[in-house]
Amino acid sequence: MQSPDTGLNLRSLVTDDGHLQLILKEAPVPEPGDDEVVVRIEATPINPSDQATLIFPADVTTGKTSGSGADTVYSAKLKAGVESRVKPRIGKPLPAGNEGAGTVVKAGSSKAAQALLGKTVAVMDGALYCQYRKVNVMQCMPLNEGTTAREAASSFVNPLTALGFVETMRAEGFKAIVHTAAASNLGQMLNRICLNDGIDLVNIVRKPEQVELLKSQGAKYVLNSSDDNFMRDLTAAIEATEAYVAFDATGGGDLGSRILTCMEKAALKDTELPGPYGSNIFKQLYIYGSLDMSPTVINRNFGFSWGINAWLLTPFIQKVGPEKTQELQKRVANELTTTFASHYSDEISLTDALQADIVAEYSKQATGKKFLINPSL
Amino acid sequence: MQSPDTGLNLRSLVTDDGHLQLILKEAPVPEPGDDEVVVRIEATPINPSDQATLIFPADVTTGKTSGSGADTVYSAKLKAGVESRVKPRIGKPLPAGNEGAGTVVKAGSSKAAQALLGKTVAVMDGALYCQYRKVNVMQCMPLNEGTTAREAASSFVNPLTALGFVETMRAEGFKAIVHTAAASNLGQMLNRICLNDGIDLVNIVRKPEQVELLKSQGAKYVLNSSDDNFMRDLTAAIEATEAYVAFDATGGGDLGSRILTCMEKAALKDTELPGPYGSNIFKQLYIYGSLDMSPTVINRNFGFSWGINAWLLTPFIQKVGPEKTQELQKRVANELTTTFASHYSDEISLTDALQADIVAEYSKQATGKKFLINPSL
């Protein structure tokens, strides 16, 4: 198939008059270097990690869309209070889209590049909300025969994050995991990984229907943080599983602190007279998201043996190195339609992604809707 | 010198009618085993780490003292809200006093024990608010000839903590340190260590006179967290020193979060367009005290490369091992009247330590007064 000469690229732009715009820039389809390929992007999800650059600074209640086709423009006022934070962005159209999949339509001269020509690949990059993207062959994950772009769209961020939690747990000598916002796509993946690998997982959700969802998927421990007995039940689950590492997507508020409090209670269950510094069992809270943007409130009523750290995929990958990463990617490729299956509520085009009502939906951090952009539509 | 047959031991007791009592228990002077010695305690400080067990649960505004001599009893109502926390303590008289110094009056049969007979030694233990204490020779730090018990009273907690901060900085690849509550005895020690060792130290205090005190002791960076320009000046000091590890004695409130914010600003100073996850420079906050008992408030406006951990002396010593610990102790012994000199406002007896007005003073976490108990008075 012959590819056209130009393609559209979605850009997020902060203007000097206090607006955030989403625009489409037309550009020539790039020419690949020796070790590069050009991928026609056919499926790319909107993850929380994309929202930060794409839409976070906008007050989407003020959003309006004008024009059509390649001239579509979305514009919204900036949120109050973000001005100083976005200052470095003013006047610079930023790309977005951290992962996706599509067909290799051009390939460089190297053997590795040529081998991918015509193949469906998954890609990790920072600019995949576009029609054609040039990437190094190293950024491509080879897919098993028959895997579709839609199936492979979310091959990196959620799968490697979920696997990263398990690897982190193992590397740091923990036995089991506490996970919040556990009904998310990521949380469901983590549940499947833990069930497969025989790891105890304590799932924390916020709604009764999320408890049901995870239980229907075989989860043993699912706790609703809104329940009256949440702290008691969480302590009991930690006692049973020895889950002294938690991965928290909410970030703000005191949920992380409450988890550490329950861990300490579980750790002290056989201690008749705890000393002033609490138990010796090390308790670790990783914050990997900010579904709640408010400050983290830490009550420090859990002794003096604990750590609270940010957890992010990129440093994890750098830390474990390319060999381990390839091993993890291979597992993802093999289990893409089972363990690592993602579900989307809506498939949209690039111009759809600039419509005010759709932007308002995907700007929500904890939206029930999960959008998949198909730039080739 | 012949030692008497019995000695007094201070105990902190929570009663089942909701009071905390400080009492003196008379007990026979112990007999040492082969590798043990009995030390007549002559100088033992009241550190924040002692206050937790000794007096923290008491509402000292209700404190009353009755009796005299060995029959002196201090009694105060429990603070509101601590009931469940102190429940395991009820009816159990607890010892206190983590460090001190005195004369070895009895020694076991081993060579190491016999070598200490008659000598002045510094001791680390959990029960030194007493007249005679049996300890293993391994708990004794040999002192240089001529060192007095008063000079050696604080040979462990503050000196090893201050040295531990520097060792932690080095082990984790940091170059310089931010320290809060920097005008404390510990802070002054840390300042002297850093000056001696050529390490940049950014001192944070809360009062103008504390700025003057540390500057008069040669400190280069001393910032008052109450100043309007605190954040700007702290950022500049971190830029200048690359101090990306902080040790915080306050614990509560947002001071730690503000330090991390300034670290991130300093880390991003040469970054034209920071990504959504901030700088790659790892920023570490260690909380080693709770001068402010309120919750820690973390604003998370400093990217995704950071850690917040509790720091405590005992796990540090266990981590570095006996050889390193002995090396550090040797330095302390050699510099006990210079780098590691402590200052006390009042020398008091065991019965003085049970007087309501004195208890009210030393129960303050950040008191200006620094008491030294001399149980042999």
Side-chain angles (χ1 to χ4, degrees), chain A residues 225-260:
Chain A
S225 58
S226 314
D227 281 352
D228 288 343
N229 291 326
F230 170 65
M231 298 286 281
R232 185 200 67 187
D233 294 347
L234 177 56
T235 303
I238 295 168
E239 274 189 32
T241 59
E242 300 179 53
Y244 290 111
V245 61
F247 293 89
D248 174 40
T250 59
D254 71 349
L255 180 58
S257 182
R258 292 163 80 198
I259 294 169
L260 290 167

Side-chain angles (χ1 to χ4, degrees), chain B residues 58-371:
Chain B
D59 174 0
V60 295
T61 64
T62 66
K64 292 199 182 85
T65 304
S66 60
S68 65
D71 297 320
T72 308
V73 173
Y74 169 86
S75 184
K77 285 185 188 164
L78 291 177
K79 273 180 193 149
V82 301
E83 290 80 1
S84 72
R85 193 163 154 183
V86 299
K87 211 173 166 190
R89 288 186 53 170
I90 291 174
K92 296 170 189 147
L94 299 184
N98 290 316
E99 65 181 341
T103 308
V104 175
V105 293
K106 291 185 185 182
S109 59
S110 77
K111 208 174 154 182
Q114 283 294 317
L116 293 176
L117 195 58
K119 293 266 173 33
T120 302
V121 292
V123 186
M124 193 169 190
D125 192 59
L128 296 177
Y129 297 157
C130 68
Q131 294 185 308
Y132 296 92
R133 179 71 184 157
K134 181 174 76 173
V135 293
N136 193 285
V137 290
M138 295 295 291
Q139 291 171 262
C140 300
M141 184 171 109
L143 298 172
N144 293 348
E145 198 62 38
T147 304
T148 66
R150 185 184 169 113
E151 287 167 343
S154 298
S155 293
F156 293 93
V157 180
N158 281 343
L160 293 181
T161 299
L163 288 170
F165 292 172
V166 172
E167 292 298 323
T168 300
M169 176 205 80
R170 288 197 182 112
E172 297 178 5
F174 295 105
K175 286 186 182 177
I177 292 173
V178 176
H179 187 223
T180 72
S184 65
N185 260 333
L186 171 61
Q188 294 178 44
M189 266 181 209
L190 183 61
N191 181 49
R192 290 190 292 266
I193 294 168
C194 288
L195 287 174
N196 286 345
D197 293 9
I199 296 163
D200 280 329
L201 175 67
V202 180
N203 297 280
I204 298 176
V205 297
R206 283 181 298 181
K207 296 177 187 165
E209 58 267 31
Q210 294 168 328
V211 175
E212 292 316 308
L213 175 75
L214 284 168
K215 291 224 160 171
S216 76
Q217 295 180 14
K220 186 171 173 188
Y221 301 96
V222 192
L223 305 172
N224 183 339
S225 58
S226 314
D227 280 352
D228 289 344
N229 292 323
F230 170 65
M231 297 287 279
R232 187 199 66 188
D233 295 347
L234 178 56
T235 304
I238 295 167
E239 274 188 34
T241 58
E242 301 178 53
Y244 291 110
V245 61
F247 293 89
D248 175 37
T250 59
D254 70 350
L255 180 59
S257 182
R258 293 164 80 199
I259 294 170
L260 290 167
T261 301
C262 293
M263 286 180 176
E264 178 71 355
K265 276 193 193 161
L268 287 174
K269 71 170 165 144
D270 295 326
T271 308
E272 207 193 327
L273 182 59
Y277 294 115
S279 88
N280 291 327
I281 292 184
F282 187 72
K283 298 160 288 291
Q284 176 69 47
L285 171 68
Y286 283 110
I287 295 178
Y288 75 93
S290 280
L291 294 179
D292 179 342
M293 302 286 292
S294 72
T296 314
V297 177
I298 306 294
N299 287 308
R300 302 196 321 286
N301 55 354
F302 37 77
F304 256 76
S305 183
W306 52 267
I308 302 172
N309 287 66
W311 195 100
L312 213 56
L313 180 57
T314 309
F316 165 77
I317 287 174
Q318 282 161 355
K319 196 172 172 184
V320 297
E323 212 167 306
K324 184 75 192 178
T325 304
Q326 275 171 22
E327 179 197 319
L328 298 178
Q329 285 189 346
K330 195 159 184 172
R331 177 169 178 184
V332 174
N334 287 335
E335 303 175 26
L336 209 41
T337 58
T338 53
T339 313
F340 302 104
S342 292
H343 302 285
Y344 310 98
S345 52
D346 299 83
E347 187 177 17
I348 59 176
S349 69
L350 279 181
T351 47
D352 290 341
L354 272 55
Q355 302 306 313
D357 54 337
I358 293 176
V359 176
E361 278 294 328
Y362 68 65
S363 69
K364 294 179 200 160
Q365 279 266 356
T367 180
K369 292 210 173 190
K370 176 78 180 168
F371 288 88

Side-chain angles (χ1 to χ4, degrees), chain A residues 8-340:
Chain A
L8 295 176
N9 301 279
L10 191 157
R11 294 289 182 263
S12 176
L13 173 67
V14 174
T15 62
D16 55 10
D17 67 347
H19 287 74
L20 181 139
Q21 294 187 341
L22 300 178
I23 53 176
L24 299 175
K25 290 242 179 195
E26 193 157 8
V29 175
E31 286 303 319
D34 290 354
D35 266 333
E36 293 175 331
V37 295
V38 173
V39 183
R40 185 181 64 223
I41 306 300
E42 292 150 4
T44 170
I46 302 177
N47 291 317
S49 50
D50 301 306
Q51 290 167 335
T53 297
L54 185 68
I55 197 62
F56 172 73
D59 174 1
V60 296
T61 63
T62 68
K64 291 196 181 86
T65 303
S66 61
S68 67
D71 297 319
T72 308
V73 173
Y74 169 85
S75 184
K77 286 186 188 164
L78 291 177
K79 273 180 195 150
V82 301
E83 291 81 2
S84 71
R85 193 164 155 183
V86 298
K87 213 174 166 189
R89 289 186 52 169
I90 291 176
K92 296 171 188 143
L94 299 184
N98 289 316
E99 66 180 340
T103 308
V104 175
V105 293
K106 291 185 185 183
S109 59
S110 76
K111 205 174 155 184
Q114 284 294 319
L116 294 176
L117 195 58
K119 294 267 176 31
T120 301
V121 292
V123 186
M124 193 171 190
D125 191 59
L128 296 177
Y129 298 156
C130 68
Q131 295 185 310
Y132 296 92
R133 180 70 185 159
K134 182 174 78 175
V135 294
N136 193 285
V137 291
M138 295 295 290
Q139 291 171 262
C140 300
M141 186 172 108
L143 298 172
N144 294 348
E145 198 62 37
T147 304
T148 66
R150 186 184 167 111
E151 286 167 346
S154 298
S155 293
F156 293 94
V157 179
N158 281 343
L160 293 181
T161 298
L163 288 170
F165 291 172
V166 172
E167 291 298 323
T168 300
M169 175 205 81
R170 287 196 182 113
E172 297 178 4
F174 295 106
K175 284 187 184 177
I177 293 173
V178 177
H179 187 223
T180 71
S184 65
N185 259 333
L186 171 61
Q188 294 178 45
M189 268 182 209
L190 183 62
N191 181 47
R192 290 191 290 265
I193 294 168
C194 288
L195 287 174
N196 286 345
D197 293 10
I199 296 164
D200 280 329
L201 175 66
V202 180
N203 298 280
I204 297 176
V205 297
R206 283 180 298 182
K207 294 175 188 166
E209 58 268 31
Q210 294 169 329
V211 175
E212 291 317 308
L213 175 74
L214 284 168
K215 291 224 161 170
S216 76
Q217 296 181 11
K220 185 170 174 191
Y221 301 96
V222 192
L223 305 173
N224 183 341
S225 58
S226 314
D227 281 352
D228 288 343
N229 291 326
F230 170 65
M231 298 286 281
R232 185 200 67 187
D233 294 347
L234 177 56
T235 303
I238 295 168
E239 274 189 32
T241 59
E242 300 179 53
Y244 290 111
V245 61
F247 293 89
D248 174 40
T250 59
D254 71 349
L255 180 58
S257 182
R258 292 163 80 198
I259 294 169
L260 290 167
T261 301
C262 293
M263 285 181 176
E264 178 72 356
K265 274 192 195 158
L268 286 174
K269 72 172 164 140
D270 295 327
T271 307
E272 205 193 326
L273 181 59
Y277 295 114
S279 87
N280 290 328
I281 292 184
F282 187 73
K283 299 160 287 290
Q284 177 69 47
L285 172 68
Y286 283 110
I287 296 179
Y288 74 94
S290 279
L291 294 179
D292 179 342
M293 302 286 292
S294 71
T296 314
V297 177
I298 306 294
N299 288 311
R300 304 198 317 290
N301 56 353
F302 38 76
F304 255 75
S305 183
W306 52 269
I308 302 172
N309 287 65
W311 196 99
L312 213 55
L313 180 56
T314 309
F316 165 76
I317 287 175
Q318 283 161 356
K319 196 172 173 184
V320 298
E323 211 166 306
K324 185 75 192 177
T325 304
Q326 276 169 24
E327 179 195 319
L328 299 178
Q329 285 188 348
K330 195 159 183 169
R331 176 168 180 185
V332 175
N334 287 336
E335 303 174 27
L336 210 43
T337 58
T338 53
T339 313
F340 301 104

